[in-house]
Amino acid sequence: MKKLFQTKLNNTSVDLSLLLLRLATGGFMLTHGFPKLQRLLAGEMQFGDPIGLGPEVSLVLTVFAEVVCSILIVLGLGTRLAAIPSIVTMAVAAFIVHGADPFGRKEMALLYLVGYVVLLLSGSGKFSGDRIISKK
């Protein structure tokens, strides 16, 4: 029972937690990014323009963040760099696209945003492509 309330961090549990966070945030985000990628590949460029870059540029940047960066995050390759476009995309979704909406509409974007910020601050952990590259 005492172990349940222990606050001392175990490196292995932290690394497993980061792996789980990467797999969940990156993997779940892919379910949002793939439909947008399909629209982009089909030439359907109708998309929101929340920050004034144009719908085409907004769609391309969103697909980059939600597909390419998500794959990199799942693999743990360049995790901190891949988290940056993901953070920007989720901040735009939460605070601009859904800025006037009730909390329930922006909650998912905020949850992803928090996960990406944690990955930016912590890195990918031991079970990652970053670790394999850094050992060489």
Side-chain angles (χ1 to χ4, degrees):
M1 187 70 160
K2 184 179 175 184
K3 201 165 186 121
L4 287 175
F5 299 101
Q6 182 177 346
T7 57
K8 186 177 179 182
L9 293 176
N10 173 321
N11 286 342
T12 302
S13 66
V14 170
D15 288 324
L16 286 171
S17 298
L18 290 171
L19 173 64
L20 179 62
L21 181 62
R22 283 191 359 256
L23 293 176
T25 55
F28 294 164
M29 183 52 69
L30 284 171
T31 67
H32 298 279
F34 276 135
K36 293 176 183 107
L37 176 62
Q38 290 173 328
R39 285 175 45 194
L40 180 66
L41 294 175
E44 297 173 26
M45 296 298 184
Q46 286 194 333
F47 193 72
D49 185 22
I51 56 176
L53 298 175
E56 297 86 4
V57 173
S58 295
L59 178 60
V60 168
L61 291 173
T62 302
V63 167
F64 175 74
E66 292 185 2
V67 176
V68 176
C69 291
S70 291
I71 291 169
L72 291 171
I73 286 170
V74 165
L75 297 174
L77 288 171
T79 303
R80 284 188 165 115
L81 287 175
I84 294 169
S86 303
I87 288 168
V88 171
T89 301
M90 291 302 101
V92 168
F95 300 118
I96 297 175
V97 174
H98 296 294
D101 293 343
F103 180 75
R105 292 280 297 156
K106 60 182 102 182
E107 181 179 10
M108 187 178 305
L110 291 170
L111 285 170
Y112 280 113
L113 178 61
V114 169
Y116 292 134
V117 169
V118 169
L119 290 170
L120 176 68
L121 296 173
S122 66
S124 56
K126 182 168 72 173
F127 306 113
S128 66
D130 289 340
R131 171 69 180 238
I132 293 168
I133 290 169
S134 72
K135 287 181 93 175
K136 291 184 178 182

